[in-house]
Amino acid sequence: MGTGIGIDVEKARADTPGCARVAHLNNAGAALPPAPVIEAVAEHFALETTIGGYEAAEQNADAVEHFYGAVAGLIGARADEIAYVENATRAWDMAFYAIPFAEGDRILTTTSEYSSNAIAYQQVAAAKGARVEVIPDDANGTLALDALEAELAKGGVRLVSLNHIPTYNGLVNPVAEVGRLCREHGVLYLLDACQSVGHLALDVAEIGCDMLSATGRKYLRGPRGTGFLYVRREIVRTLEPPFLDLTAAEWKAPDGFEIRDDARRFETWERYVAGQIGLAAAADYASALGIAAIEERVTGLAASLRRMLAGRPGVTVLDRGEHPSGIVTFTVDGHAPEAVKAAARARDVNVSVAQPRTHGYDPHGLDAAVRASVHYYNTEEDLERLLAALP
């Protein structure tokens, strides 16, 4: 397959060493990194081994600082609204636990919320006396906006928190519409964009979220152990991080301190410096390709895969939503998802197993399903290889 719409697929594959070895359809787990990311990480780590870690960070200070503008440009933010955090879960935690919850506060979320986030809700509910309430789905499976609006109108909502793209069912939540409702009611809005940054075109101003967390390893194609947090400039001073260090705050000896007034109040001094530089390279790479072009190719490939799977006897496609994402979930009659994954792996095709019942408040979720998640460097041949590998 040659050039896709807006994407030079052959070049993208040439930039991706893993494409020569596997048909990688596990991009919602961890995508294959491109050469510029690999080189950025390797070069900085090599520098650390030759001149020392502190010295390498000083020498590459401009590359470290470049991260903030590169990521901000990717999501329509300002550089001072970005914090480097070691993963999406920690980024989300830093934002969530900074919110001053009180007795009776309501937290609104979705049926398909990620389990790590749900655990945090329950912990805060138990400690602070807050309440976690789940907004039902609409007919397409996405969050029901009329139900959300009705709950917001009742008052007492401290936070609306949801994922842009759930980990397992292909849907894309109406995040901009949620943002509009949150602004109308003066409610904080936290968006888990773990599966959407590098996958969909998004702009935090258009979405209207106050906070957004993301990872490097998924669709952004950055290193594992990297992530970032966006916090809107106008609210950052209202949020006190759950812990501070000498980067997040300045010690006013002997018994005082002053917290930074930008998003870097959510950072810690020690970090994976090579990873931060690599994540900046990943953001640059995605921006150069164009996120709109990436979205078009990813969703187009996923639509092709759904059609191919739907035409296969015994295969059930499980995805929901009016405009599905690049994540495709399905089952094969008579075969456990783990067995399907193993059969695909034996033929150098990577997929994963999703467990809907453990990721969400939907009591009707399946125990397990096969998850195939495409990226722009995948081809129709990769999809055909998956179909051929199915038992």
Side-chain angles (χ1 to χ4, degrees):
M1 185 173 183
T3 302
I5 300 174
I7 299 285
D8 186 339
V9 178
E10 291 181 357
K11 183 180 186 308
R13 290 177 67 81
D15 279 349
T16 308
C19 286
R21 182 180 180 91
V22 295
H24 189 70
L25 302 175
N26 188 18
N27 297 286
L32 299 174
V37 172
I38 299 168
E39 292 162 3
V41 174
E43 288 172 4
H44 184 81
F45 185 65
L47 189 63
E48 288 186 340
T49 66
T50 54
I51 69 170
Y54 285 23
E55 293 75 13
E58 290 174 3
Q59 184 167 316
N60 279 343
D62 288 345
V64 173
E65 188 66 23
H66 175 67
F67 159 81
Y68 299 98
V71 168
L74 196 66
I75 64 170
R78 295 168 287 202
D80 67 317
E81 296 175 315
I82 301 297
Y84 174 75
V85 190
E86 61 265 34
N87 58 64
T89 298
R90 183 61 66 230
W92 188 94
D93 285 344
M94 290 296 284
F96 178 72
Y97 287 102
I99 298 169
F101 290 102
E103 180 82 25
D105 281 347
R106 303 169 66 204
I107 301 169
L108 304 185
T109 189
T110 67
T111 64
S112 57
E113 185 55 290
Y114 188 55
S115 58
S116 288
N117 301 351
I119 290 168
Y121 300 149
Q122 298 302 326
Q123 184 186 38
V124 163
K128 301 290 188 179
R131 304 199 310 270
V132 183
E133 301 174 20
V134 180
I135 303 300
D137 300 331
D138 66 14
N140 293 314
T142 54
L143 176 144
L145 292 169
D146 56 348
L148 173 62
E149 186 168 21
E151 293 303 323
L152 288 169
K154 293 177 183 178
V157 177
R158 170 71 73 172
L159 176 70
V160 172
S161 179
L162 66 147
N163 50 72
H164 196 171
I165 298 177
T167 190
Y168 64 87
N169 60 11
L171 68 82
V172 179
N173 274 312
V175 293
E177 291 83 351
V178 171
R180 175 182 58 80
L181 292 173
C182 288
R183 289 193 299 272
E184 288 177 1
H185 292 270
V187 171
L188 283 175
Y189 178 16
L190 170 57
L191 183 63
D192 181 341
C194 196
Q195 297 289 8
S196 59
V197 172
H199 178 168
L200 305 180
L202 58 88
D203 185 299
V204 291
E206 293 179 5
I207 292 171
C209 57
D210 296 296
M211 300 155 284
L212 177 149
S213 59
T215 185
R217 66 182 159 89
K218 296 179 184 287
Y219 283 92
L220 198 48
R221 306 183 66 195
R224 291 198 71 175
T226 65
F228 70 87
L229 174 66
Y230 156 81
V231 182
R232 187 165 61 87
R233 181 186 291 171
E234 289 75 15
I235 70 153
V236 70
R237 293 187 184 183
T238 70
L239 303 173
E240 183 167 327
F243 56 84
L244 300 168
D245 78 348
L246 75 172
T247 286
E250 181 183 356
W251 182 31
K252 300 292 186 180
D255 54 5
F257 63 91
E258 183 176 331
I259 307 177
R260 288 185 65 123
D261 61 3
D262 61 9
R264 295 194 210 185
R265 63 172 51 196
F266 295 96
E267 294 187 348
T268 56
W269 183 85
E270 180 53 38
R271 66 191 61 198
Y272 177 25
V273 177
Q276 182 169 348
I277 293 171
L279 187 52
D284 287 341
Y285 193 89
S287 293
L289 287 176
I291 293 296
I294 291 173
E295 176 178 343
E296 184 173 11
R297 178 157 179 82
V298 170
T299 56
L301 279 172
S304 295
L305 180 55
R306 290 187 186 94
R307 288 193 297 270
M308 294 164 71
L309 289 167
R312 177 78 175 250
V315 174
T316 302
V317 177
L318 305 170
D319 299 330
R320 301 186 294 175
E322 187 175 357
H323 303 288
S325 70
I327 297 174
V328 179
T329 49
F330 63 95
T331 56
V332 180
D333 289 351
H335 299 277
E338 283 288 355
V340 175
K341 172 186 171 181
R345 180 74 60 82
R347 301 182 68 167
D348 293 325
V349 178
N350 293 341
V351 295
S352 63
V353 173
Q355 297 177 308
R357 199 182 299 277
T358 65
H359 286 302
Y361 289 99
D362 183 358
H364 306 296
L366 296 174
D367 287 327
V370 183
R371 184 182 73 178
S373 45
V374 302
H375 216 326
Y376 58 81
Y377 54 71
N378 290 127
T379 63
E380 294 285 348
E381 181 183 0
D382 289 341
L383 309 186
E384 291 164 0
R385 286 175 63 183
L386 172 59
L387 268 290
L390 295 181

